[in-house]
């Protein structure tokens, strides 16, 4: 934990679809709060990288679960620069590539994979005490007792534009891929992408990152945990 950070437990759950601004907002909010940061999506991506490397069939849930149980997956919680490794290999670049992006929804849908990673995520949250966690099922499954639950969203056009700019990819192709992932993630049987009933919904289409972070700080102040 960084020195001279505010005392007291504070857990912020940030959910939403790809391109809604979760990662940037969550990291900046964590820095602002003097808190840790956990990118749960990176955990699923790193595990997907390991599954792809193993050569097992993505539709073979038992084999995928076996890889998940054996891989040494580690992720940092420093918001201004964290490392993601699988079996000692730094995979930060690889997990953002098209191969992993195309397979991560299938791997994340395996019940045993979600059970394993949710347990790991809860342990990280417990150990950190003060943390901003982003993903797709944080407020509804991973941290249902979070001090603040936020569901970030944005128009399909805005999300595609943002993600294509990040990946230097074609906007139309990015929009199609986002739609594919949205459908897979929101319709999977176990822990689907969904808004927690008590989550605050923020549409970031017309908002800047600083505006979103400021709004979240206001909400936390109102709750007495900022």
């Amino acid at each position: 934990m960084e020195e001279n950070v505010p005392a007291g437990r504070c857990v912020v759950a940030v959910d939403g679809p790809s391109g809604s601004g979760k990662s940037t907002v969550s990291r900046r909010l964590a820095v602002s709060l003097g808190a840790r940061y956990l990118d749960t999506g990176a955990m699923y991506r790193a595990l997907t990288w390991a599954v792809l490397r193993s050569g097992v069939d993505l539709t073979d849930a038992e084999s995928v679960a076996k890889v998940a149980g054996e891989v040494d997956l580690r992720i940092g919680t420093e918001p201004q620069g964290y490392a993601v490794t699988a079996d000692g290999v730094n995979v930060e670049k690889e997990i953002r590539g098209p191969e992993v992006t195309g397979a991560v929804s299938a791997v994340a849908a395996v019940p045993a994979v979600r059970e394993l990673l949710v347990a790991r995520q809860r342990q990280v949250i417990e150990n950190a005490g003060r943390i901003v966690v982003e993903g797709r099922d944080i407020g509804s499954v991973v941290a249902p007792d979070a001090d603040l639950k936020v569901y970030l969203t944005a128009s399909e056009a805005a999300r595609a534009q943002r993600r294509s700019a990040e990946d230097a990819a074609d906007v139309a192709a990015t929009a199609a891929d986002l739609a594919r992932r949205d459908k897979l993630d929101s319709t999977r049987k176990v822990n689907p992408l969904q808004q927690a009933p008590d989550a605050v919904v923020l549409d970031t289409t017309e908002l800047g990152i600083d505006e979103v972070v400021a709004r979240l700080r206001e909400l936390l102040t109102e709750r007495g945990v900022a």
Side-chain angles (χ1 to χ4, degrees):
M1 180 70 75
E2 298 175 356
E3 296 182 359
N4 302 319
V5 300
R9 181 177 176 80
C10 177
V11 178
V12 182
V14 183
D15 292 303
S18 298
S20 58
K22 293 194 307 297
S23 295
T24 303
V25 166
S26 296
R27 286 196 299 269
R28 290 197 188 179
L29 179 62
V31 171
S32 174
L33 294 173
R36 292 300 189 180
Y37 160 72
L38 179 61
D39 179 355
T40 64
M43 297 176 74
Y44 285 101
R45 284 175 171 271
L47 182 53
T48 299
W49 176 86
V51 169
L52 290 171
R53 186 183 63 165
S54 74
V56 305
D57 186 342
L58 292 178
T59 63
D60 185 343
E62 185 176 344
S63 294
V64 170
K66 186 174 186 297
V67 173
E70 296 175 348
V71 65
D72 179 13
L73 177 62
R74 304 192 183 195
I75 184 168
T77 57
E78 167 54 55
Q80 293 179 303
Y82 62 94
V84 186
T85 65
D87 289 333
V89 179
N90 187 311
V91 294
E92 293 173 65
K93 292 184 178 180
E94 289 80 356
I95 64 175
R96 304 300 175 184
E99 186 178 19
V100 168
T101 297
V104 65
S105 290
V107 172
V110 176
V113 167
R114 301 204 72 81
E115 181 179 357
L116 176 68
L117 292 190
V118 166
R120 289 278 304 275
Q121 291 154 14
R122 286 174 174 165
Q123 189 60 59
V124 171
I125 293 170
E126 182 63 29
N127 292 341
R130 194 171 184 84
I131 190 169
V132 179
V133 189
E134 64 144 305
R136 284 166 164 70
D137 63 347
I138 310 307
S140 58
V141 176
V142 179
D145 59 345
D147 297 287
L148 174 64
K149 301 176 188 179
V150 185
Y151 190 88
L152 297 185
T153 186
S155 69
E156 293 183 1
R159 292 169 52 213
Q161 187 65 49
R162 293 169 182 171
R163 185 48 55 88
S164 64
E166 291 175 1
D167 300 338
D170 177 74
V171 176
T174 299
D177 184 60
L178 290 180
R180 176 189 66 83
R181 291 189 60 199
D182 286 349
K183 182 176 181 179
L184 289 172
D185 292 343
S186 61
T187 58
R188 64 175 176 244
K189 294 182 180 180
V190 182
N191 304 350
L193 164 65
Q194 62 181 339
Q195 174 191 327
D198 53 347
V200 175
V201 180
L202 280 182
D203 188 326
T204 67
T205 303
E206 302 295 336
L207 296 176
I209 297 299
D210 291 340
E211 292 176 288
V212 177
V213 172
R215 176 55 180 152
L216 298 187
R217 285 299 306 263
E218 290 175 2
L219 291 169
L220 286 167
T221 298
E222 292 171 5
R223 288 163 169 74
V225 290

